[in-house]
Amino acid sequence: MPYKAKFKVWRGDADSGELRDFLVEVNEGEVVLDIIHRLQATQAPDLAVRWNCKAGKCGSCSAEINGRPRLLCMTRMSTFTEEETVTVTPMRAFPVIRDLVTDVSFNYQKAREIPSFTPPADLAPGDYRMQQVDVQRSQEFRKCIECFLCQNTCHVVRDHEENKEAFSGPRFLMRAAELEFHPLDTADRVPSAQDDHGLGLCNITKCCTEVCPEHIAITDNALIPMKERVADRKYDPVVWLGSKIFRR
Ligand code: SF4
Ligand code: F3S
Ligand code: FES
């Protein structure tokens, strides 16, 4: 049965903004993005929202619903009671452009800082061979839709703008891990993950994993194994001695 839901939607730009109240129709089976579209069609034609697929696959519609980072298109209205007020705000860790649209270029900058896949120089593309287990390991990481909800959630940058320079965030530390675990990648990703991308700032709170709409085990399968590699090098006496000898 259709009903009228109470919505609070953040409206504003980079300089100022506020939550605005709306009463809007909800029909069975709808998601929050449907309601935002209905608002655009009826009461707020200039409401800015970024979206594309409405199927949880493009990663565009990231925002915060009742303070929790979510995809607007994958959050069913049946999650809420009919009496509940649904509050929709832009992602908090990134600068607002307008209304629900944020400037996520921080993430593109961090992506560029990860050196690309580096296969052995003498291996022709058609000669690449991998074990199935290695294919499967990176397939989990490649499910990422780049919604940046994990980047928005991680407390290292969410509450500390000043950490953005030193910390690339879970999505890009996971990218470094994906390449580090790739049997054909020849680059040494461990020192740069620690020194250039801020792996040491992650204290494995797992909030990134909790919000990932693709259910990627970011912390357990990417961040912790990378931390183990850092620790192995630091505390393994043979590796330590080698690094001293060869650094001279
Ligand atoms: Fe989104 Fe998950 Fe990719 Fe992070 S790892 S950007 S939460 S899909
Ligand atoms: Fe942040 Fe995820 Fe680590 S939330 S602290 S990157 S486990
Ligand atoms: Fe594509 Fe929501 S619109 S993920």
Side-chain angles (χ1 to χ4, degrees):
M1 284 288 283
Y3 70 97
K4 296 263 187 194
K6 293 188 280 296
F7 262 70
K8 282 185 186 290
V9 181
W10 195 89
R11 308 242 24 213
D13 56 23
D15 299 325
S16 64
E18 60 179 7
L19 286 171
R20 297 265 179 84
D21 291 312
F22 297 98
L23 202 57
V24 54
E25 184 184 311
V26 176
N27 299 298
E28 197 175 341
E30 287 185 332
V31 294
V32 173
L33 186 61
D34 289 312
I35 309 308
I36 296 294
H37 284 163
R38 183 162 299 122
L39 280 177
Q40 284 181 323
T42 55
Q43 307 175 47
D46 59 343
L47 173 63
V49 61
R50 188 184 280 130
W51 71 285
N52 200 316
C53 68
K54 202 170 172 271
K57 285 294 160 225
C58 73
S60 309
C61 67
S62 302
E64 302 196 0
I65 303 174
N66 292 349
R68 292 190 67 84
R70 306 287 302 251
L71 294 179
L72 296 174
C73 73
M74 296 304 282
T75 307
R76 293 189 169 278
M77 283 304 297
S78 57
T79 320
F80 314 104
T81 63
E82 294 188 10
E83 294 70 39
E84 207 171 339
T85 300
V86 181
T87 304
V88 188
T89 48
M91 283 193 283
R92 192 170 103 191
F94 309 122
V96 168
I97 297 174
R98 196 157 69 84
D99 302 335
L100 301 177
V101 177
T102 50
D103 176 357
V104 293
S105 49
F106 161 76
N107 300 288
Y108 303 131
Q109 185 190 322
K110 294 298 177 185
R112 279 194 294 272
E113 290 169 10
I114 307 271
S116 55
F117 174 57
T118 315
D122 56 353
L123 199 63
D127 295 337
Y128 290 12
R129 295 288 180 274
M130 283 172 73
Q131 299 280 337
Q132 186 59 24
V133 65
D134 291 321
V135 174
Q136 276 161 349
R137 189 181 301 117
S138 63
Q139 260 172 354
E140 181 190 16
F141 304 140
R142 294 186 75 86
K143 284 192 303 179
C144 173
I145 58 170
E146 303 225 306
C147 64
F148 306 131
L149 287 175
C150 58
Q151 301 283 96
N152 173 57
T153 305
C154 177
H155 67 98
V156 175
V157 289
R158 188 172 172 89
D159 299 316
H160 301 279
E161 184 69 25
E162 70 279 9
N163 284 338
K164 278 189 174 168
E165 174 131 7
F167 188 63
S168 294
R171 195 276 168 262
F172 298 105
L173 288 166
M174 179 177 87
R175 172 70 179 149
E178 178 197 331
L179 292 166
E180 168 65 20
F181 306 154
H182 195 300
L184 293 177
D185 187 76
T186 58
D188 184 2
R189 312 271 170 181
V190 175
S192 70
Q194 184 72 3
D195 302 335
D196 306 330
H197 302 294
L199 180 62
L201 289 169
C202 161
N203 52 358
I204 50 178
T205 57
K206 299 197 182 187
C207 310
C208 52
T209 303
E210 261 177 48
V211 298
C212 177
E214 285 294 319
H215 308 293
I216 303 170
I218 308 168
T219 321
D220 285 352
N221 291 348
L223 306 183
I224 292 176
M226 281 299 266
K227 280 176 172 287
E228 285 169 349
R229 290 190 184 203
V230 172
D232 282 352
R233 293 199 192 186
K234 201 165 168 189
Y235 300 113
D236 182 322
V238 178
V239 175
W240 180 82
L241 192 63
S243 73
K244 293 289 167 201
I245 293 167
F246 292 114
R247 201 181 288 162
R248 277 194 222 145

